Amino acid sequence: MKDLSSVFFISLLLILLNSCHLEELQFDKLAKQVDTHPTFIAPIAKGNVTVWDFVNAANKENDNITKDPNGLIKIVYKQDNIFTYNISELLEFPTTNNFSSGEQPIGDISPEDVNISRSINLQELSGKVNGQLDGVVLLNGKTAPFPSVKSSNLDAAFVLDNVLDFKTITLSKGTLKVELKNKLKVPLSLTGSLYDVLNNKPIDDFAFSNVVPGTTSSLSFDLKGSDLSNDIEFRLYSFETLGSATPVDINLNDYFTLSFGMSDLSISKGVIKIVKPQSFEGAKGNFEFDFPESNLKAFGAMLKKGTLSMKSVNSLPLSGVIHFTIPEIKNQLTGAPITADVPMDGSTQLISLDNTIINFSSDAEKPYNRIPYSYNVTINQTPGFINFSSTDAVKLEISLDGLDFQGMVGDFGKRSITIDPDKFALNVDMLDKLKGDFKLDNPVVTSTLHNSVGIPATISFNLTASNKEGKIVSMNLPSVDIPVPAGINAGIATKNVSFTRQNSNIVDFISLPPTGDITYSGKVDFNDKGVVTPENFNFLDMNAVFGVDMSLELPLELQVSNLTFRDTSAISGEDFKNIETADLILNTKNGVPLDIDLQLLFIDTITGHQFGATNVTRMLSTAQVSPQGTITPVESSHTFSLDKTQMEQLKKANAIVFSGILSSPNGGTGVAAIYSDSRIEMNIVVKSKVNLNF
């Protein structure tokens, strides 16, 4: 015959062990009797088990169950990266930007200085002064007092060398210097003008008075606004000398020299010839960088890659080079600004922007989204004369292409990202078996925030869970500040934020208890506090990420009242056909602060029919807990009985449902701290009546 009593009472032990087999318990087989209706009274088991044994058995080696250094048992759930966000999704960056300098007038040209000299001797002068030098002519070659001469109302013209660099010009500025060198042996006075023959008008009139022999006198005139041609001459209006009181050598080859110097010239228009390369001042300005994000204010950026493309549009009859500089785009390694020589023939010039830094904030008027530029122009010499005007324009068409940003600083504006609802599984078997009033006294939810984005932000989270009955509790966690790294190269900043009974409704959340998946959602708000300035800026690296880890730490400090747990074990009624009645006597020393009651339900798992049930019986009495938390084990003895009717019901079933009821001290009003080393010592005795007539 089978040892049916052992089978039965092993099943009863499963009530205490939540359907788990503990190797620490040893069972002695019952002795066989010859009486056909004998009563067996025998010890069948003796055990000394810790709570840690129970917990490990109940959770099937679940790694979520642990204990703290003091032995307090905890359920710990952690999931890394329940939410991650790549910052490249937060801001949209352009891959290209097109600029134009607009048509910039070339401006005035500054030619070489013009210098023309004309020497006039007494012989040439004598034919221009209406016979006033006839007396001097008669004394040629003699030593005699030089006669005085006074000749006025003249209009004597003296041809000057033509200017070779222009035919006609208009000057926006310039200076005319007229210099008289007196190589005569007598003082000299004269009036005259530099005369424009083509335009038939004097350029400037001038007068020299009593210039002594061997000296030089000069006069200066402003040429601003003057129209000039290259056909000019000197016109003499008067000539006078006081002569000499003493004899001098009179020689008709004696002369005076007039020099005409035009300097600091700026030509606004004209027919000119450029005889050697000329430099123009050019222009400067700012390009407005266009970001797709309308509220983004960029102070600076780093580029991994990019190309600067430049092409000139030239309406001038000139060739040359535009020397272009963007002083605030610099090579990261050398610090050298980007420069280019752009031909004026309309060809395209390409410059690499790889590994460059852009400063968008150099303009005090608008210290963001602007790139300054400047250029000057070198004009090549011309083979002949050209029609020139300072209003003729040159234009630069500029394109930044293939932009791949590495990082940026600026004011990125107020932005939000939504953490879409998602789920994670708590995966704690023990919680799935619980039902009733259940509270954990000190649960903790910890969010670990990982952030390498330099934007101040707050995050708000909501957790939602439900129990087997469908009751739902949401835990709206308070908003917290996200950690910000110290700088763009500072790496990831990490912050742990804990939510406890003091700052959330986590106690109610856990007391469901949650079973299955926990749903989470949330929102991140960037730049929702404070003011962003060029000194207190946002920053980001394009590889920056923001992530959230979530952990739940549930110390088993329980406040439970009539908390039930259930488990089902399959049986065969045939195994109990010879047992008429049975009592299980448990003598215990309980170091766990929980009352445990038990009831057996006999069911058919196929139809769901329940054939019967035992009475609810106290199996363990709670250990005593002092106000200081000291636990004192309690000894007790309880009997779990199956009468003849219940045995008949058991024989019809194919499964036993073990329904346990737990309560913490003082009828469920006290807190039971469950320590791993708390022990339950058991001495189990069976008393059964067996029918041996078969």
Side-chain angles (χ1 to χ4, degrees):
M1 168 180 90
K2 292 182 179 179
D3 190 352
L4 299 178
S5 298
S6 294
V7 173
F8 176 64
F9 286 107
I10 288 173
S11 298
L12 288 180
L13 283 175
L14 294 178
I15 297 169
L16 296 175
L17 306 182
N18 205 14
S19 304
C20 299
H21 302 283
L22 301 180
E23 295 178 357
E24 289 85 347
L25 296 178
Q26 302 296 323
F27 298 96
D28 297 323
K29 293 184 178 180
L30 297 176
K32 297 180 181 178
Q33 304 293 328
V34 296
D35 188 354
T36 58
H37 295 279
T39 298
F40 296 93
I41 301 176
I44 64 165
K46 186 175 183 180
N48 186 342
V49 294
T50 65
V51 170
W52 192 242
D53 299 324
F54 283 105
V55 170
N56 282 329
N59 285 281
K60 302 180 179 137
E61 300 181 357
N62 195 307
D63 292 337
N64 294 344
I65 306 299
T66 185
K67 51 188 174 181
D68 70 11
N70 296 321
L72 181 66
I73 295 176
K74 298 188 295 184
I75 301 171
V76 176
Y77 173 82
K78 182 176 181 180
Q79 181 167 321
D80 293 337
N81 297 321
I82 65 169
F83 174 75
T84 58
Y85 190 84
N86 193 318
I87 199 61
S88 62
E89 301 173 22
L90 178 64
L91 299 174
E92 184 179 355
F93 293 95
T95 58
T96 185
N97 246 274
N98 298 313
F99 309 115
S100 174
S101 66
E103 291 192 344
Q104 299 287 348
I106 192 67
D108 296 347
I109 191 170
S110 298
E112 294 294 309
D113 292 348
V114 175
N115 290 293
I116 302 172
S117 295
R118 180 70 159 85
S119 294
I120 302 172
N121 60 30
L122 291 174
Q123 182 66 53
E124 182 181 10
L125 184 63
S126 66
K128 302 285 189 179
V129 292
N130 299 325
Q132 295 298 315
L133 286 176
D134 290 349
V136 176
V137 172
L138 292 175
L139 294 174
N140 183 38
K142 299 178 179 180
T143 301
F146 197 100
S148 64
V149 177
K150 185 174 183 180
S151 180
S152 58
N153 298 319
L154 303 176
D155 192 11
F158 297 86
V159 177
L160 301 177
D161 293 338
N162 284 344
V163 179
L164 300 179
D165 293 353
F166 60 83
K167 289 184 177 180
T168 59
I169 59 173
T170 298
L171 294 172
S172 58
K173 71 173 184 176
T175 300
L176 171 64
K177 182 179 181 181
V178 182
E179 187 176 81
L180 173 63
K181 290 183 179 180
N182 185 8
K183 294 294 185 178
L184 302 178
K185 298 180 177 65
V186 291
L188 173 64
S189 298
L190 63 81
T191 62
S193 71
L194 182 64
Y195 196 85
D196 188 329
V197 177
L198 182 64
N199 291 316
N200 194 29
K201 65 178 182 179
I203 297 170
D204 273 300
D205 295 327
F206 51 86
F208 292 97
S209 177
N210 202 29
V211 179
V212 299
T215 64
T216 300
S217 180
S218 61
L219 300 170
S220 293
F221 303 92
D222 187 2
L223 292 176
K224 180 179 180 181
S226 298
D227 293 320
L228 299 181
S229 75
N230 65 341
D231 186 6
I232 56 177
E233 62 186 17
F234 163 55
R235 291 196 175 183
L236 180 65
Y237 299 144
S238 69
F239 176 83
E240 182 178 357
T241 178
L242 297 176
S244 65
T246 60
V248 296
D249 293 332
I250 298 175
N251 189 340
L252 293 182
N253 289 325
D254 289 345
Y255 65 92
F256 62 88
T257 299
L258 282 169
S259 297
F260 301 96
M262 300 181 192
S263 62
D264 196 25
L265 300 178
S266 288
I267 299 174
S268 59
K269 65 180 180 179
V271 178
I272 64 174
K273 178 193 292 185
I274 299 176
V275 296
K276 65 179 182 178
Q278 295 280 316
S279 293
F280 290 79
E281 185 176 342
K284 60 183 178 180
N286 291 288
F287 297 131
E288 296 288 340
F289 201 88
D290 184 23
F291 288 95
E293 306 283 349
S294 60
N295 61 340
L296 189 151
K297 298 178 180 178
F299 304 148
M302 294 175 289
L303 286 177
K304 286 192 292 187
K305 293 182 179 180
T307 301
L308 178 66
S309 173
M310 289 170 288
K311 179 181 179 181
S312 66
V313 179
N314 175 23
S315 64
L316 294 166
L318 298 168
S319 65
V321 176
I322 301 172
H323 307 287
F324 186 76
T325 301
I326 306 182
E328 299 300 338
I329 301 183
K330 298 179 180 179
N331 184 282
Q332 289 192 49
L333 296 178
T334 66
I338 295 297
T339 61
D341 288 338
V342 185
M344 293 178 63
D345 59 7
S347 60
T348 299
Q349 187 79 357
L350 299 178
I351 300 294
S352 173
L353 295 179
D354 294 357
N355 301 313
T356 55
I357 299 174
I358 304 175
N359 178 16
F360 292 106
S361 62
S362 62
D363 186 349
E365 180 181 340
K366 183 183 178 183
Y368 57 88
N369 297 4
R370 279 188 172 179
I371 303 176
Y373 70 89
S374 64
Y375 68 83
N376 55 57
V377 180
T378 297
I379 299 299
N380 297 331
Q381 67 183 56
T382 59
F385 288 97
I386 61 168
N387 290 315
F388 169 81
S389 173
S390 61
T391 58
D392 289 339
V394 63
K395 180 169 68 172
L396 280 173
E397 298 291 357
I398 300 171
S399 179
L400 277 63
D401 300 306
L403 300 179
D404 186 1
F405 286 86
Q406 174 62 47
M408 181 168 289
V409 298
D411 179 355
F412 302 149
K414 294 183 183 296
R415 300 177 185 278
S416 297
I417 58 174
T418 299
I419 301 174
D420 295 327
D422 206 343
K423 298 178 180 180
F424 61 83
L426 194 57
N427 291 331
V428 180
D429 297 335
M430 187 170 66
L431 294 179
D432 292 336
K433 304 176 189 293
L434 302 178
K435 179 181 178 182
D437 296 331
F438 165 74
K439 286 187 178 181
L440 289 173
D441 206 47
N442 291 303
V444 179
V445 170
T446 299
S447 293
T448 302
L449 309 174
H450 308 282
N451 180 39
S452 55
V453 183
I455 312 176
T458 57
I459 183 171
S460 54
F461 248 113
N462 180 38
L463 300 179
T464 301
S466 61
N467 61 12
K468 290 176 288 188
E469 286 73 33
K471 182 180 178 182
I472 297 174
V473 172
S474 292
M475 184 165 59
N476 291 301
L477 303 178
S479 297
V480 296
D481 292 337
I482 293 173
V484 177
I488 196 167
N489 297 315
I492 298 175
T494 300
K495 179 180 182 180
N496 292 318
V497 182
S498 295
F499 303 99
T500 65
R501 64 184 305 153
Q502 283 74 35
N503 61 5
S504 70
N505 65 331
I506 187 173
V507 172
D508 293 336
F509 182 83
I510 297 300
S511 68
L512 278 169
T515 56
D517 293 334
I518 292 178
T519 299
Y520 64 87
S521 61
K523 184 181 180 185
V524 180
D525 293 309
F526 293 96
N527 280 334
D528 58 338
K529 300 177 181 178
V531 177
V532 182
T533 66
E535 293 75 33
N536 180 33
F537 49 78
N538 302 152
F539 61 85
L540 61 86
D541 184 276
M542 297 309 295
N543 297 321
V545 294
F546 168 69
V548 179
D549 304 336
M550 183 70 72
S551 66
L552 289 144
E553 186 173 298
L554 311 178
L556 292 188
E557 297 174 296
L558 310 174
Q559 183 181 352
V560 296
S561 176
N562 297 320
L563 179 69
T564 64
F565 63 90
R566 289 193 173 196
D567 208 350
T568 302
S569 289
I571 63 169
S572 173
E574 290 294 318
D575 293 338
F576 306 100
K577 66 181 181 179
N578 294 320
I579 299 177
E580 294 183 350
T581 62
D583 292 329
L584 184 68
I585 303 169
L586 285 85
N587 300 309
T588 63
K589 184 177 182 181
N590 182 18
V592 180
L594 291 172
D595 286 325
I596 302 177
D597 298 335
L598 195 66
Q599 182 182 32
L600 301 185
L601 310 176
F602 312 125
I603 65 169
D604 183 333
T605 58
I606 298 175
T607 64
H609 180 72
Q610 179 178 322
F611 297 105
T614 67
N615 296 325
V616 177
T617 302
R618 176 63 51 88
M619 303 302 292
L620 292 175
S621 295
T622 180
Q624 297 300 307
V625 183
S626 71
Q628 292 74 33
T630 302
I631 298 175
T632 303
V634 170
E635 296 185 9
S636 61
S637 180
H638 299 287
T639 300
F640 191 93
S641 298
L642 292 177
D643 59 23
K644 185 177 292 187
T645 299
Q646 292 167 332
M647 287 303 304
E648 290 301 318
Q649 294 168 339
L650 175 63
K651 294 172 185 178
K652 297 176 184 179
N654 66 2
I656 299 176
V657 175
F658 304 103
S659 178
I661 303 172
L662 288 81
S663 295
S664 56
N666 302 320
T669 61
V671 176
I674 309 301
Y675 289 90
S676 61
D677 58 355
S678 295
R679 293 182 175 274
I680 300 174
E681 299 179 23
M682 295 180 293
N683 182 11
I684 307 173
V685 177
V686 66
K687 178 181 178 182
S688 63
K689 186 174 183 179
V690 181
N691 183 356
L692 298 181
N693 291 323
F694 55 91

